[in-house]
Amino acid sequence: MKAVVQLENIHKTYSNGEVEVHAVRGINLTIESGEFVAIMGASGSGKSTLMNVLGCLDRPSKGRYLLDGVDTSDLDRNERADLRNQKLGFVFQGFNLLARTTALENVELPMLYNPKRIPSREKRKRALEALEIVGLAERADHLPNQLSGGQQQRVAIARALVNNPQILLADEPTGNLDSKTSVEVMGVFQKLNERGITIVMVTHELDIARYCKRNLIVRDGLLVRDELVQDRSYSDRELQRIREEEAAAKLTQSA
Amino acid sequence: MRITATSVIALRALRRNKLRSILTALGIIIGVGAVIATVSIGNGAKNQVESQIASLGQNVITVFPGSTNTGGTRGGFGAASTLTIEDAEAIEREVLGVVAVSAEVRDRQQILANGLNWNTTVMGESPGYLSVRAWDLAQGNMFTDADMRSTAKVAIIGQTVATELYPDVDPVGQTIRIRNLPFKVLGVLKPKGFSFFGSDQDDVVIVPTTSAMRRVARRQYLSSILIQAQSPTMMSRIQQEVTDLLQQRRGDREADFTVRNQLELAEAATATSKTMTVLLGSIAGVSLIVGGIGIMNIMLVSVTERTREIGIRLAIGAHDRDVRIQFLIEAMILSMLGGIFGVLIGIGASQVVSSQTGMPVLISTASVTGAVAFSAFVGIVFGFYPAHKAAKLDPIDALRFE
């Protein structure tokens, strides 16, 4: 297996006026192609900082970060922007779709910033394909406020996929969703992972983490646990169970 | 560069906030409209003044009688009765570079012709008068030096007199009576319209100076002497030489004449209208700058309001430059659209003013292109700071912005 992410002794210190906050204190981590990793930790544990470093939104204060074999430590702001555009796909907790902009245009957005010029017809085609993957092709012309939370998050996933990234980074992707919709969204991630896409997500929900293949636990800026998920959840089965429960509830009520 | 894609983004953003975009552009629309309207009206007025001054004749120097001083009692300007036909002849004979001289006598008379009568200005002039005033005859001929010498009873008449006295007869060859003396009409002048001072220049009968002095006004002095210089560059020299010559002819007597240069008059008149244009134009220019500040204000609000959007764009790979250009283009589109609509409104407003008040307007391409270019410039200048602010945002902070 090829290593997509290699973190070597990563430190991150914020100087907040007089106080220095040592958010990450030496993390070593290798993520290989095709993995499905959940990073867990309490708030203030340093998991968000770690995620920002992984997403090339922030630079480590110390240490080396190789993304797909490229050392990102000494890239400037615009080079990191190109890296994010080409190799990373982002899914956020708050969906972060552009308001009053159709699903299709939202998905086309990363291609506008692609260093290579993409003809508008191809942009449209690729955006529709990405929407097809998340099962929303028929909602392409809808505006975000006409979509449910789960649908908005699926549009966000399509946007993250459209430039064929090496890794999909998801920051609390189910944080704003109810439990059934969360399971559906995790189903989309599992389907994508089966197609070979590497996924790294941050969550604080244990049951959501069990849909992943590998769980990392961060505490006080250090990686304290790294294990493969034993009793993995599968969204197909979970959804089936939820449907049966709902049907049963209706049966008992109607009886 | 990803200019086309960025322009599309900017246009979409403006379309998303239609009402706000229109209100923001309104500042520029009013500013540009005001500039176009005031400059057009100012130019129209200046143009009118200039053409009226040109109608006075080319390179004209005028000698007016001065004030008198009789035993300590000083008469007013023009009270002196000392300008003679000999003065005019001396100027024509002795000053170099003089093309034509006309000794002028003005008088007001009731005239009769064709069974009608009319009160008009009778002017005694030399045959060179038409050259001095750059005036042509519509029909007939000008009187000659021989007519001057013989104090002939001949006349040429202006268009107003022709239409008042000869509504349906060809005036040439007819006889008009001035002070009950018959004058033969030799020609009719082309229309010249109203003078700079508002009088009808076509309401006039012109006879030889000598005839006017002896038969009409019955006095021995002139109202003024008109001198035409060969070129504008000679005017100040000729003005000086005429002054010297007339003073020399008067010996030790106090100067009783004034020599005026037409350029002085023209400069004074155009300076007035130019001052008005500059004044109005700069007030309008201030409103353009206020419009620009309005754009900056809205763009700053827009940057703050769209911090999250900027964060998303930066996170998924926009460079600083992409964000900066996006906001600059938004500001420029706002101000350019404002400029274009402002030009249309300015043209419309000046046409309305012109048709309502009869003021002449002159819409120059320079003022139109200038106003549009300036509004685009305003967009860049006032859009730059908000655009820069947007481009420098940190993507992590921007995404966290509530």
Side-chain angles (χ1 to χ4, degrees):
Chain A
M1 275 295 191
K2 194 176 98 189
V4 186
V5 168
Q6 277 175 281
L7 296 181
E8 293 171 12
N9 194 28
I10 293 290
H11 287 259
K12 181 71 196 180
T13 317
Y14 295 106
S15 76
N16 182 10
E18 294 132 47
V19 192
E20 285 232 320
V21 182
H22 210 153
V24 174
R25 306 160 179 258
I27 286 184
N28 291 293
L29 175 65
T30 303
I31 296 172
E32 285 171 354
S33 180
E35 283 203 77
F36 189 0
V37 183
I39 300 173
M40 294 197 291
S43 62
S45 61
K47 65 178 194 300
S48 293
T49 308
L50 180 63
M51 197 63 175
N52 286 340
V53 170
L54 281 173
C56 291
L57 289 165
D58 213 345
R59 298 163 83 162
S61 312
K62 216 168 92 184
R64 232 155 68 97
Y65 171 23
L66 300 179
L67 173 62
D68 198 23
V70 179
D71 190 349
T72 65
S73 316
D74 36 54
L75 297 180
D76 68 18
R77 195 175 145 107
N78 288 336
E79 287 168 332
R80 277 183 284 130
D82 285 339
L83 206 64
R84 288 197 294 273
N85 185 260
Q86 295 298 295
K87 303 208 166 171
L88 301 171
F90 290 91
V91 178
F92 305 95
Q93 178 177 0
F95 320 138
N96 278 340
L97 298 177
L98 294 189
R100 282 170 283 180
T101 305
T102 64
L104 189 75
E105 283 173 357
N106 264 295
V107 176
E108 281 179 354
L109 202 60
M111 291 187 282
L112 288 180
Y113 296 115
N114 196 309
K116 280 169 291 186
R117 185 186 293 273
I118 301 171
S120 52
R121 191 180 299 169
E122 200 197 325
K123 267 185 218 153
R124 199 183 150 77
K125 186 175 141 257
R126 277 169 60 176
L128 276 172
E129 279 168 7
L131 282 171
E132 189 84 49
I133 292 171
V134 298
L136 278 178
E138 76 283 4
R139 301 284 165 103
D141 296 326
H142 285 53
L143 299 176
N145 58 8
Q146 298 168 325
L147 297 170
S148 71
Q151 288 169 331
Q152 287 186 53
Q153 194 60 300
R154 274 145 70 191
V155 172
I157 294 170
R159 181 178 67 189
L161 286 175
V162 82
N163 264 348
N164 299 319
Q166 300 288 320
I167 318 176
L168 210 59
L169 293 171
D171 191 359
E172 302 267 11
T174 61
N176 287 13
L177 301 173
D178 64 60
S179 55
K180 189 185 167 197
T181 315
S182 298
V183 174
E184 284 170 1
V185 166
M186 289 316 292
V188 174
F189 281 123
Q190 284 188 330
K191 199 172 89 187
L192 293 173
N193 184 241
E194 278 159 30
R195 289 171 164 228
I197 294 168
T198 315
I199 299 169
V200 179
M201 60 183 272
V202 164
T203 181
H204 63 270
E205 290 167 279
L206 277 168
D207 53 333
I208 290 297
R210 285 164 55 127
Y211 288 87
C212 304
K213 289 178 181 163
R214 180 182 172 192
N215 285 0
L216 304 173
I217 295 179
V218 180
R219 194 193 300 145
D220 296 329
L222 287 167
L223 211 55
V224 294
R225 205 153 164 198
D226 181 354
E227 60 183 19
L228 294 178
V229 178
Q230 296 304 315
D231 184 19
R232 199 176 170 212
S233 304
Y234 290 94
S235 87
D236 293 350
R237 266 184 249 157
E238 283 299 309
L239 283 174
Q240 181 65 31
R241 189 180 58 76
I242 291 169
R243 273 196 291 274
E244 280 165 9
E245 278 175 7
E246 283 175 349
K250 273 183 207 137
L251 270 179
T252 47
Q253 268 170 9
S254 62
Chain B
M1 284 296 216
R2 299 174 265 205
I3 291 282
T4 26
T6 315
S7 307
V8 170
I9 294 169
L11 271 173
R12 272 181 200 162
L14 291 176
R15 214 175 46 203
R16 264 185 273 148
N17 280 301
K18 272 195 206 80
L19 182 64
R20 179 197 284 182
S21 304
I22 292 166
L23 287 175
T24 310
L26 201 58
I28 295 288
I29 291 176
I30 292 169
V32 170
V35 167
I36 296 289
T38 53
V39 170
S40 300
I41 291 166
N43 277 343
K46 200 174 104 201
N47 198 42
Q48 192 185 34
V49 167
E50 276 169 357
S51 68
Q52 281 168 343
I53 284 168
S55 81
L56 294 176
Q58 290 271 302
N59 313 330
V60 176
I61 295 163
T62 313
V63 183
F64 294 105
S67 67
T68 51
N69 189 342
T70 320
T73 309
R74 299 173 70 207
F77 178 73
S81 48
T82 53
L83 225 47
T84 62
I85 203 158
E86 287 75 26
D87 287 334
E89 284 165 5
I91 290 166
E92 189 159 27
R93 202 169 51 236
E94 291 178 30
V95 181
L96 271 167
V98 169
V99 179
V101 172
S102 186
E104 186 173 82
V105 177
R106 281 168 179 266
D107 197 30
R108 221 174 159 83
Q109 289 295 339
Q110 197 75 21
I111 59 175
L112 299 137
N114 196 25
L116 296 164
N117 69 88
W118 185 247
N119 189 288
T120 188
T121 306
V122 177
M123 299 208 298
E125 300 283 0
S126 313
Y129 179 69
L130 296 189
S131 161
V132 174
R133 294 291 312 272
W135 208 344
D136 287 328
L137 288 167
Q139 53 183 129
N141 294 299
M142 184 61 178
F143 48 77
T144 61
D145 284 331
D147 293 324
M148 278 287 274
R149 280 193 296 277
S150 62
T151 63
K153 288 178 280 187
V154 290
I156 54 171
I157 60 174
Q159 279 289 338
T160 306
V161 173
T163 50
E164 292 297 337
L165 294 181
Y166 299 102
D168 37 37
V169 188
D170 180 5
V172 176
Q174 304 280 338
T175 301
I176 56 172
R177 300 187 77 86
I178 308 172
R179 288 217 180 208
N180 222 14
L181 292 169
F183 281 74
K184 192 183 173 202
V185 177
L186 294 183
V188 179
L189 288 158
K190 280 189 175 165
K192 210 171 177 77
F194 286 88
S195 78
F196 178 54
F197 309 100
S199 61
D200 182 1
Q201 301 180 88
D202 298 318
D203 188 5
V204 72
V205 172
I206 297 169
V207 299
T209 314
T210 48
S211 313
M213 289 169 88
R214 186 173 308 166
R215 302 182 195 279
V216 183
R218 292 183 184 155
R219 57 174 185 240
Q220 296 308 308
Y221 56 89
L222 302 175
S223 306
S224 58
I225 302 173
L226 308 177
I227 304 158
Q228 185 179 27
Q230 204 172 353
S231 72
T233 52
M234 292 181 182
M235 288 183 77
S236 56
R237 178 185 61 80
I238 291 174
Q239 188 177 9
Q240 188 56 50
E241 284 185 24
V242 166
T243 310
D244 292 345
L245 176 68
L246 292 179
Q247 188 57 58
Q248 188 195 332
R249 286 171 59 81
R250 275 149 185 73
D252 292 336
R253 264 163 48 210
E254 201 180 320
D256 52 9
F257 57 88
T258 317
V259 185
R260 285 280 171 79
N261 179 334
Q262 183 202 358
L263 284 181
E264 293 165 6
L265 181 66
E267 275 162 15
T270 49
T272 311
S273 60
K274 207 183 270 172
T275 309
M276 285 299 288
T277 309
V278 168
L279 193 70
L280 290 172
S282 49
I283 291 169
V286 168
S287 70
L288 250 185
I289 289 173
V290 173
I293 293 169
I295 286 188
M296 176 141 107
N297 197 356
I298 292 299
M299 292 306 293
L300 281 173
V301 170
S302 179
V303 167
T304 309
E305 196 189 74
R306 284 152 70 191
T307 301
R308 238 167 196 282
E309 176 197 324
I310 296 162
I312 298 165
R313 293 183 186 280
L314 289 170
I316 62 175
H319 289 192
D320 306 3
R321 205 182 48 201
D322 297 319
V323 173
R324 187 180 299 120
I325 288 173
Q326 177 189 339
F327 281 87
L328 262 184
I329 289 177
E330 277 185 35
M332 260 186 71
I333 289 174
L334 280 178
S335 58
M336 288 277 283
L337 281 181
I340 290 163
F341 282 106
V343 164
L344 296 179
I345 284 175
I347 290 173
S350 51
Q351 296 297 347
V352 167
V353 166
S354 154
S355 68
Q356 292 298 309
T357 66
M359 268 155 62
V361 294
L362 187 74
I363 296 149
S364 65
T365 44
S367 65
V368 169
T369 50
V372 172
F374 186 66
S375 64
F377 174 74
V378 161
I380 293 173
V381 167
F382 289 100
F384 193 82
Y385 173 67
H388 183 73
K389 204 179 153 195
K392 284 294 157 213
L393 283 173
D394 181 68
I396 299 171
D397 293 339
L399 280 172
R400 221 179 276 147
F401 185 83
E402 290 300 329

